[in-house]
Amino acid sequence: QKEVEQNSGPLSVPEGAIASLNCTYSDRVSQSFFWYRQYSGKSPELIMSIYSNGDKEDGRFTAQLNKASQYVSLLIRDSQPSDSATYLCAVNGGNNRLAFGKGNQVVVIP
Amino acid sequence: DGGITQSPKYLFRKEGQNVTLSCEQNLNHDAMYWYRQDPGQGLRLIYYSQIVNDFQKGDIAEGYSVSREKKESFPLTVTSAQKNPTAFYLCASSMGQATDTQYFGPGTRLTVL
């Protein structure tokens, strides 16, 4: 069973600060990595995808991938109240199936 | 507008009933997926299909059935054998390659009365 772990507990950050989310995965052959944002009662929407080691930036979001250490992270800069949501880490091991972590709730405090 | 639609948005089922959840996409995607989400559990894969007339069990297929007669449609039936069906059901689709993003429909919330 491929596992994706996200550190538990809600993350509270003041408006304008950086939110940092981490995700580790167990399958060394994983090829593609995704961060989804899910608002309460809604379906997940893609924030970032990353496939190669290093950083990938898109607006206020930066994804970081380290395949040797088997982790992927998401940074949210200049956090806004609209960023308050649950963030899901998903990993594709090459069999066209995504394994999801349980998610991290982010609360941005105005 | 291209996208994924799911219906109904809310569904109530009595004990012993089978119910079918609809999922339609007009993105011309080859692969389609059904997930179940419970509070604090993340998304768990029920069934997936990579091509018409073919589908595979996911991690929690017991008590569910699917069909893929058309590329655009992937309905999920929750049978009476599923003992705890109350959950948020999400349908997704992708082009079908490992690097392709999965896009989600709006979901169906099923409640057993």
Side-chain angles (χ1 to χ4, degrees), chain B residues 11-15 17 19 21 35-39 41 44 46 60 63-64 78-79 82-89 108-113:
Chain B
L11 184 58
F12 299 91
R13 193 193 92 168
K14 295 181 180 179
E15 294 282 352
Q17 278 185 336
V19 292
L21 284 58
Y35 294 92
R36 167 179 172 145
Q37 188 174 36
D38 297 278
Q41 293 278 350
R44 292 184 288 170
I46 304 172
I60 56 166
Y64 300 97
V78 184
T79 74
Q82 171 48 239
K83 297 306 179 187
N84 186 21
T86 295
F88 189 39
Y89 289 87
T108 292
R109 194 166 297 277
L110 173 63
T111 302
V112 173
L113 301 175

Side-chain angles (χ1 to χ4, degrees), chain B residues 37-74:
Chain B
Q37 188 174 36
D38 297 278
Q41 293 278 350
L43 273 67
R44 292 184 288 170
L45 183 64
I46 304 172
Y47 269 98
Y48 65 107
S49 168
Q50 295 181 299
I51 195 169
V52 174
N53 292 323
D54 188 40
F55 48 83
Q56 289 78 40
K57 293 182 179 180
D59 300 318
I60 56 166
E62 185 176 352
Y64 300 97
S65 66
V66 293
S67 63
R68 186 86 187 277
E69 297 177 0
K70 298 187 300 182
K71 187 175 184 177
E72 302 80 17
S73 178
F74 192 40

Side-chain angles (χ1 to χ4, degrees), chain A residues 1 31-32 34 36 38 40-46 49 51 88 92-103, chain B residues 9 33 35 37 40-43 45 48 50 57-59 88 90 96-106 109:
Chain A
Q1 180 78 7
Q31 299 179 4
S32 47
F34 305 88
Y36 287 86
Q38 187 176 25
S40 180
K42 303 296 185 181
S43 62
E45 56 180 330
L46 181 73
S49 59
Y51 310 107
L88 302 171
N92 191 320
N95 57 1
N96 295 338
R97 292 178 48 163
L98 284 182
F100 283 85
K102 293 184 178 181
Chain B
K9 186 175 181 179
Y33 310 81
Y35 294 92
Q37 188 174 36
Q41 293 278 350
L43 273 67
L45 183 64
Y48 65 107
Q50 295 181 299
K57 293 182 179 180
D59 300 318
F88 189 39
L90 290 158
Q97 301 303 312
T99 55
D100 292 325
T101 299
Q102 288 188 20
Y103 296 94
F104 287 85
R109 194 166 297 277

